[in-house]
Amino acid sequence: QIEQVRADISLLNPDATVLEARSTVRVDSPIEGARVVVVEDGPTLTHGGMTFGAGIVAAQHFGADPVDPRPYAVGSIAQVLERYPSLGPLVPAMGYGAEQTHELQATLNAVPADLVLAATPIDLTRVLSLNKPVVRVRYDLEETDPEAFAAPLRRIMELASVKEAVAAR
């Protein structure tokens, strides 16, 4: 797939600079051996068409056991899981209003897990009252070739310096 993307870029813009990087997952606390209810970014999974994200990757990488939330899902969360059967053992974070936020909270609290593994853009503890600890999943950008990233940035900075010098005259 990467080669196909490279070919497409080359067709569309042969002069484009292509930078490659990896997204390396990390967790805030150890999770090895824990039974976890994984919460992923809802729109990424539903509208975006992904079947899993950083939470499932982190669970697998760090030795946690994701618990299937479907038997415990309530309301609109159960409906989303029904509508998207290809989702793995995870809960899409859907909380677009008070009722849906309450249903997300009820679902997460009902899953018999040791902790919530949260791979969402927001800190769930700011909007939900959960009955189990929350461990956040984050990911870092790891450049495959740091110099390839630095060179275009240097050019941008040089251009900005020239523009400032011209403006100062």
Side-chain angles (χ1 to χ4, degrees), residues 7-130:
D8 292 346
I9 292 169
S10 182
L11 282 174
L12 294 170
N13 184 354
D15 297 325
T17 300
V18 178
L19 304 173
E20 289 186 26
R22 289 183 285 279
S23 294
T24 307
V25 296
R26 62 183 165 89
V27 292
D28 290 347
S29 303
I31 61 171
E32 184 176 357
R35 291 173 40 86
V36 297
V37 54
V38 177
V39 186
E40 300 272 8
D41 181 53
T44 300
L45 299 167
T46 57
H47 311 29
M50 291 180 58
T51 56
F52 66 92
I56 293 295
V57 171
Q60 292 170 344
H61 183 75
F62 295 108
D65 179 25
V67 178
D68 186 351
R70 288 172 278 220
Y72 311 97
V74 298
S76 61
I77 304 301
Q79 291 169 355
V80 168
L81 290 171
E82 257 180 54
R83 184 172 177 194
Y84 297 93
S86 62
L87 294 180
L90 57 87
V91 176
M94 310 297 285
Y96 299 118
E99 183 176 355
Q100 200 170 48
T101 300
H102 175 74
E103 292 167 348
L104 176 61
Q105 177 178 294
T107 297
L108 296 176
N109 283 338
V111 177
D114 303 320
L115 57 91
V116 174
L117 191 56
T120 59
I122 66 159
D123 179 358
L124 292 177
T125 62
R126 294 183 67 199
V127 294
L128 304 176
S129 294
L130 299 171

Side-chain angles (χ1 to χ4, degrees), residues 149-162:
F149 273 75
L153 294 176
R154 277 197 300 275
R155 283 196 302 274
I156 291 168
M157 297 302 289
E158 289 166 4
L159 290 174
S161 294
V162 168

